[in-house]
């Protein structure tokens, strides 16, 4: 239901209930305590009325508002990436559901986007894991997403772009010093297009607010290294960028960077045309608003993410689109979704983990140091990223810091630069990355 229509229904229903309360009090001269008790029961009826109103809305005929698509983010993947966007449907073909460490998926029930929530029958789903059928250390193609790399073929030279003056390209290394890449033999898709669909979940809220959550799935997360030791690898990875609108105008952008994420005003964020630009970190895919080195948790930069201007991913070109009702906890696919995977909603309600459970200490691939593990458990899905958040930040329990400008930390000490706005007609081109 549109926010304005839902507000109108709320007001009318509330007035109706309060009128009944008043008349009941007057006619029966019941004590105030009895009236309060009756009001509590009526409040439950009010919720039921609102639920009926929500369900009476024609959810088969709605479309994502054009403004949500006009301001869809553009994602710079890292040029050093080895684990690219993942296709959820393909992911299901290579995993088996486990209750902790015991397989539970019957052979007659292949996992799909439509039936994944059936796994919630086991322990409420919270102890269910989607375990890889392959040894992750053998790097199967489905895990690396090698077929889902957005292409940069046919893009004009970055020297011709406005950004090239601000961001000179890095020097080209001689072949003898170039690191082998997992995607050298890949066949990339069209410019900005990935065969791995992004997920758009639109959440209407009060006061004309609409939150557009863009979720990005990867079949593998490569953890970062500390003092030469890698920690935090896991199967399955969900990241997101939120663009908040009020009355159809973008107001804020939130990115799921490490350590609780970060919020910005829309005016502060870098843009291509009107579209926000965000960056996916190498391996971990944590999302940031700037390219560069991003330290977190540990001092002296011992633990950090790296972002740069690698292939640009335009999620608007291939996405499954939904509207989520906070009133009924129902996910509605856009009417153009048809009958395929894009129209399925069972995956959204799966309460378990999208990857393996943390490997036990006796697994030869596992090691632990100072309370941290090489392999950890996979994440939960988009439904559990606080879609009902009041503030634009993910954790309503913490103070929401909204930055008014970008801050970039480079190895040579440079920081703080204004956003660069690029005309829409160069949105599909390749931009040179910062000289780090």
């Amino acid at each position: 239901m549109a926010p304005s229509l839902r507000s109108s229904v709320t007001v009318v229903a509330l007035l109706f209930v309060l009128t009944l309360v008043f008349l009941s009090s007057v006619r029966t001269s019941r004590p105030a305590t009895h009236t309060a008790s009756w009001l509590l029961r009526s409040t439950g009826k009010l919720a039921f009325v609102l639920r009926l109103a929500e369900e009476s809305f024609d959810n088969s005929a709605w479309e994502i508002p054009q403004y949500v698509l006009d301001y869809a983010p553009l994602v710079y993947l890292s040029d050093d990436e080895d684990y690219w966007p993942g296709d959820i449907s393909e992911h299901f073909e290579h995993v088996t559901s486990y209750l902790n460490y015991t397989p539970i998926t019957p052979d007659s029930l292949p996992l799909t986007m439509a039936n994944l929530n059936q796994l919630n029958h086991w322990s409420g789903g919270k102890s269910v894991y989607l375990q890889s059928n392959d040894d992750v250390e053998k790097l199967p193609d489905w895990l690396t997403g090698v077929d889902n790399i957005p292409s940069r073929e046919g893009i004009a030279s970055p020297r011709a772009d406005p950004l090239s003056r601000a961001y000179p390209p890095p020097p080209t290394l001689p072949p003898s010093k170039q690191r082998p890449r997992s995607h050298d033999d890949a066949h990339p898709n069209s410019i900005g297009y990935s065969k791995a669909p992004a997920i758009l979940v639109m959440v209407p809220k009060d006061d004309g607010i609409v939150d557009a959550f863009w979720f990005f799935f990867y079949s593998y997360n490569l953890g970062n290294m500390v003092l030469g030791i890698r920690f935090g690898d896991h199967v399955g990875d969900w990241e997101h960028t939120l663009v908040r609108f009020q009355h159809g105008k973008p107001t804020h952008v939130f990115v799921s960077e490490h350590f609780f994420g970060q919020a910005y005003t829309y005016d502060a964020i870098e843009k291509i045309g009107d579209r926000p630009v965000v960056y996916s970190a190498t391996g971990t895919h944590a999302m940031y608003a700037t390219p560069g080195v991003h330290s977190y948790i540990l001092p002296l930069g011992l633990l950090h993410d790296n972002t740069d201007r690698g292939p640009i991913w335009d999620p608007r070109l291939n996405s499954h689109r939904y509207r989520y009702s906070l009133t009924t906890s129902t996910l509605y696919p856009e009417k153009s979704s048809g009958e395929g995977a894009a129209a399925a909603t069972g995956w959204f309600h799966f309460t378990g983990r999208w990857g393996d459970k943390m490997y036990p200490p006796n697994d030869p691939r596992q090691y632990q140091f100072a309370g941290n593990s090489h392999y950890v458990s996979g994440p939960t899905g988009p439904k559990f990223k606080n879609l009902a958040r009041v503030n634009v930040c993910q954790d309503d329990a913490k103070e929401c810091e909204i930055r008014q400008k970008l801050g970039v930390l480079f190895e040579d000490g440079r920081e703080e630069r204004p956003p660069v706005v690029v005309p829409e007609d160069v949105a599909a081109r390749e931009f040179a990355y910062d000289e780090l």
Side-chain angles (χ1 to χ4, degrees), residues 192-363:
Y193 175 91
S194 172
K195 290 192 297 184
I199 300 290
L200 169 60
V201 178
M202 185 187 76
V203 185
K205 299 179 178 178
D206 293 332
D207 299 322
I209 291 176
V210 170
D211 282 348
F213 291 87
W214 291 89
F215 288 98
F216 308 99
F217 180 73
Y218 305 81
S219 283
Y220 195 76
N221 176 99
L222 182 68
N224 281 319
M225 300 184 73
V226 179
L227 301 177
I229 304 174
R230 190 175 302 281
F231 298 101
D233 285 25
H234 56 83
V235 175
D237 190 22
W238 283 104
E239 303 293 341
H240 73 276
T241 291
L242 162 62
V243 182
R244 171 164 286 188
F245 300 88
Q246 188 164 27
H247 306 302
K249 303 295 183 183
T251 59
H252 300 88
V253 176
F254 174 85
V255 291
S256 59
E257 66 180 51
H258 275 128
F259 210 57
F260 306 117
Q262 182 61 56
Y264 297 85
T265 63
Y266 170 77
D267 290 339
I269 210 79
E270 181 183 337
K271 304 173 190 69
I272 294 178
D274 291 327
R275 300 177 63 181
V277 172
V278 295
Y279 295 83
S280 174
T282 309
T284 69
H285 312 121
M287 309 206 76
Y288 294 87
T290 56
V293 179
H294 310 272
S295 299
Y296 62 98
I297 300 179
L298 297 182
L300 304 177
L302 292 176
L303 184 61
H304 62 268
D305 282 319
N306 293 284
T307 57
D308 59 57
R309 287 187 169 87
I312 193 167
W313 182 11
D314 185 351
R316 194 170 67 180
L317 298 179
N318 183 20
S319 57
H320 298 337
R321 302 170 183 177
Y322 307 88
R323 182 178 65 85
Y324 182 59
S325 167
L326 295 176
T327 305
T328 65
S329 298
T330 305
L331 189 70
Y332 300 103
E334 189 178 31
K335 73 172 185 178
S336 59
S337 298
E339 302 296 329
T345 60
W347 66 271
F348 179 79
H349 300 287
F350 171 56
T351 59
R353 302 299 188 108
W354 285 71
D356 299 23
K357 185 171 182 177
M358 183 174 69
Y359 298 158
N362 61 353
D363 190 307

